[in-house]
Amino acid sequence: MNARRFNWPIWAGFLLSLIAFLSYFFVFVWFPVTRDFPWANLLLFAIAAGLLLVGVRRAFSTGQSSREDSPPKVGDRPRPRRSKIAATVLTTLSVAIFGFFIFSIFIMARRLPASHSAPRISQRAPDFTLSDMNGRPVSLLELLTSPVNGKAPRGVLLVFYRGYW
Amino acid sequence: MAKFEEVGIRPVAISVDTPELSRNLAEQAGYSFTFLSDPKADVIRRYDLLHASAGTNGQDIARPAEFLVDSSGTVRWVNLTENYWVRARPDQILEVAKTLR
């Protein structure tokens, strides 16, 4: 039967690896709990690895173990070569996806400049003047003195971000 | 972000993006706080936050960083993340903000 010959764990494992990779950037990055450490994604990768392992065993099994206690069925025949090739290729791709995930989250993202001369606590924040989104020049001094909610501000939170270019 | 303004803190976002790009971003996301544009990364350099050639086309951009500056211009809290997926959480900053006069 076709359904028995179809090695679904391999395909499910591969798809789950893809989902485990992409879901970080599209879903889990929006929640601090799953963003700061990608445990949800690592869990998905672990399940994917389990499925791939089952799939590889199915692809490379000779089918003898089940022949001993049950009459031979079509599905028990050794799998064709293309099934083994598919298992190998999909597992390799999944490992590559996992490797790329680890690289982008744990290595690439930590390649940040040291910023040793960035202003520290109790130092003065260097003044500056920059254009706001309407092109009007705004200085730090102005930001610190013009009212927030009708009152003099207690302070300014400067958030430097990578931007979208 | 409205929570910051409630405690008298003005949030200001700074990047190398042009004013037009920031305006589009703010409109799409519904942000009402101040966006400042530092296309030549002069201020980013002055704050030693330059991440050279890290943009998709090799542009110089800012590394993520947050500073809480009190009304006298003194830095009261800094966050220089070591991983750009990890950012300061608003509640951490609000706690410090409440201690400012």
Side-chain angles (χ1 to χ4, degrees):
Chain A
M1 229 173 86
N2 250 345
R4 230 190 110 69
R5 297 202 57 79
F6 178 59
N7 195 357
W8 65 269
I10 275 289
W11 289 93
F14 172 67
L15 271 180
L16 195 60
S17 309
L18 261 183
I19 293 168
F21 180 79
L22 295 173
S23 61
Y24 182 78
F25 305 94
F26 292 105
V27 182
F28 295 119
V29 87
W30 299 103
F31 309 100
V33 198
T34 48
R35 177 195 57 198
D36 291 357
F37 189 81
W39 58 269
N41 303 84
L42 294 178
L43 187 71
L44 289 176
F45 273 120
I47 299 169
L51 285 167
L52 288 166
L53 193 71
V54 171
V56 166
R57 289 183 67 158
R58 278 172 70 135
F60 287 88
S61 76
T62 54
Q64 276 174 355
S65 58
S66 52
R67 226 174 259 174
E68 284 166 13
D69 45 5
S70 62
K73 289 186 223 148
V74 187
D76 283 340
R77 276 189 322 202
R79 282 169 185 279
R81 237 180 90 157
R82 64 183 159 79
S83 175
K84 293 178 185 174
I85 292 171
T88 311
V89 168
L90 291 176
T91 305
T92 311
L93 280 176
S94 304
V95 170
I97 293 169
F98 178 66
F100 191 64
F101 180 77
I102 295 298
F103 177 75
S104 23
I105 302 299
F106 292 103
I107 299 168
M108 193 62 190
R110 288 195 177 158
R111 281 194 195 154
L112 289 173
S115 301
H116 289 308
S117 329
R120 289 155 191 267
I121 291 177
S122 82
Q123 285 182 349
R124 280 197 77 77
D127 195 24
F128 57 77
T129 303
L130 290 172
S131 301
D132 70 6
M133 54 189 179
N134 300 312
R136 195 180 68 91
V138 178
S139 69
L140 177 60
L141 191 70
E142 221 179 310
L143 294 166
L144 286 168
T145 47
S146 70
V148 168
N149 272 356
K151 281 180 283 183
R154 275 165 127 176
V156 167
L157 178 67
L158 299 177
V159 178
F160 288 87
Y161 66 107
R162 292 166 55 84
Y164 299 86
W165 326 301
Chain B
M1 281 297 169
K3 280 188 177 172
F4 286 106
E5 296 188 344
E6 271 170 37
V7 297
I9 300 293
R10 163 175 286 130
V12 178
I14 305 170
S15 75
V16 293
D17 288 349
T18 59
E20 292 75 35
L21 217 156
S22 298
R23 195 166 56 220
N24 291 342
L25 172 76
E27 275 169 12
Q28 275 173 23
Y31 294 148
S32 60
F33 52 91
T34 312
F35 279 82
L36 297 180
S37 188
D38 188 11
K40 289 182 187 151
D42 294 329
V43 174
I44 291 164
R45 233 171 242 131
R46 206 176 306 159
Y47 277 70
D48 194 22
L49 302 173
L50 192 77
H51 195 171
S53 347
T56 31
N57 297 319
Q59 310 94 317
D60 293 345
I61 59 170
R63 54 110 85 220
E66 296 89 23
F67 298 85
L68 187 61
V69 181
D70 71 12
S71 51
S72 73
T74 307
V75 177
R76 297 294 294 270
W77 176 88
V78 187
N79 179 48
L80 293 164
T81 184
E82 284 172 11
N83 181 327
Y84 61 62
W85 295 110
V86 184
R87 306 290 164 86
R89 302 189 191 174
D91 45 329
Q92 299 172 324
I93 307 171
L94 278 171
E95 279 307 301
V96 188
K98 283 175 187 159
T99 67
L100 299 191
R101 257 175 268 245

